Amino acid sequence: MKKFVIIAFVAVAGLFSVNAKAQSKIAHINAQALVTAMPETAKAETELQTFAKSLEGDGKAMYDEYQKKLQEFNDKAASMTENVREIKGKDLQDIQKRIQDYSEASQQKIQDKQAQLLKPIYDKARKAIEDVAKEKGYGYVIDNSNGMLLVSPAGDDILAAVKTKMGIK
């Protein structure tokens, strides 16, 4: 009987210690608002826009060439032989294909550049969030920036603390 009481006491004590550990502090943050407030984000946006405009300039040159050849084709189509018209038509189709390929490649380059520019910003924000969570004893930090969190336990908003840690007003 004495062993049974000791075992029961140890089991109950174990349940209370597991329950105490499961009660982690929870916080939430709008990570998108944090990233938007960071000065590095504005610099990255400017650099990305400059990069996109340079690609757009090259694409515009190709489009202008296409427009010029199309106008020339339309103006002289009546006086061309069938064979020449077919060759010029294929040439226009080739230019259209190059414009489309260039546009797709440009979009991919812009996405790659954006990822390259934003990765260090996201890493810096994540590190600051982790540091604040550790300093304040939070076990979980939930990102509520996408608005998809329908139900959540009560928690503290640590956006102001993270901004202060990063020197952002």
Side-chain angles (χ1 to χ4, degrees):
M1 184 74 172
K2 194 175 187 183
K3 284 184 178 179
F4 180 76
V5 171
I6 292 172
I7 292 173
F9 178 74
V10 171
V12 170
L15 286 175
F16 281 114
S17 69
V18 168
N19 194 20
K21 284 188 177 184
Q23 300 266 342
S24 295
K25 287 175 64 177
I26 298 173
H28 59 88
I29 188 169
N30 185 332
Q32 189 60 43
L34 174 65
V35 169
T36 302
M38 294 172 65
E40 296 94 331
T41 303
K43 182 181 176 216
E45 286 285 327
T46 303
E47 191 174 332
L48 187 63
Q49 287 175 355
T50 302
F51 180 72
K53 282 184 181 180
S54 71
L55 292 176
E56 185 180 304
D58 294 342
K60 184 169 178 4
M62 291 173 73
Y63 182 74
D64 290 345
E65 175 192 357
Y66 170 74
Q67 289 290 38
K68 180 182 167 193
K69 287 191 177 193
L70 180 64
Q71 184 64 41
E72 182 181 307
F73 177 79
N74 288 336
D75 291 344
K76 297 180 180 177
S79 63
M80 292 180 191
T81 64
E82 184 65 33
N83 195 22
V84 171
R85 222 177 328 195
E86 192 174 307
I87 291 171
K88 296 275 187 187
K90 277 194 177 286
D91 186 33
L92 288 171
Q93 288 175 350
D94 289 344
I95 294 172
Q96 278 181 322
K97 176 80 169 108
R98 280 189 295 157
I99 291 171
Q100 183 178 0
D101 291 347
Y102 182 81
S103 176
E104 290 171 5
S106 294
Q107 289 301 320
Q108 185 61 47
K109 286 180 182 179
I110 290 170
Q111 288 175 355
D112 293 346
K113 183 74 167 179
Q114 183 178 30
Q116 173 194 355
L117 291 172
L118 292 179
K119 184 182 181 334
I121 295 169
Y122 288 142
D123 290 346
K124 183 177 178 181
R126 182 176 185 87
K127 172 90 170 84
I129 292 167
E130 288 172 357
D131 290 348
V132 169
K134 187 179 282 185
E135 288 170 10
K136 298 200 181 262
Y138 293 108
Y140 299 94
V141 177
I142 299 169
D143 181 7
N144 62 4
S145 60
N146 63 5
M148 293 301 292
L149 194 59
L150 301 177
V151 177
S152 67
D156 299 328
D157 187 357
I158 62 170
L159 180 60
V162 174
K163 281 184 170 181
T164 301
K165 179 156 188 79
M166 296 178 77
I168 301 171
K169 294 183 181 193

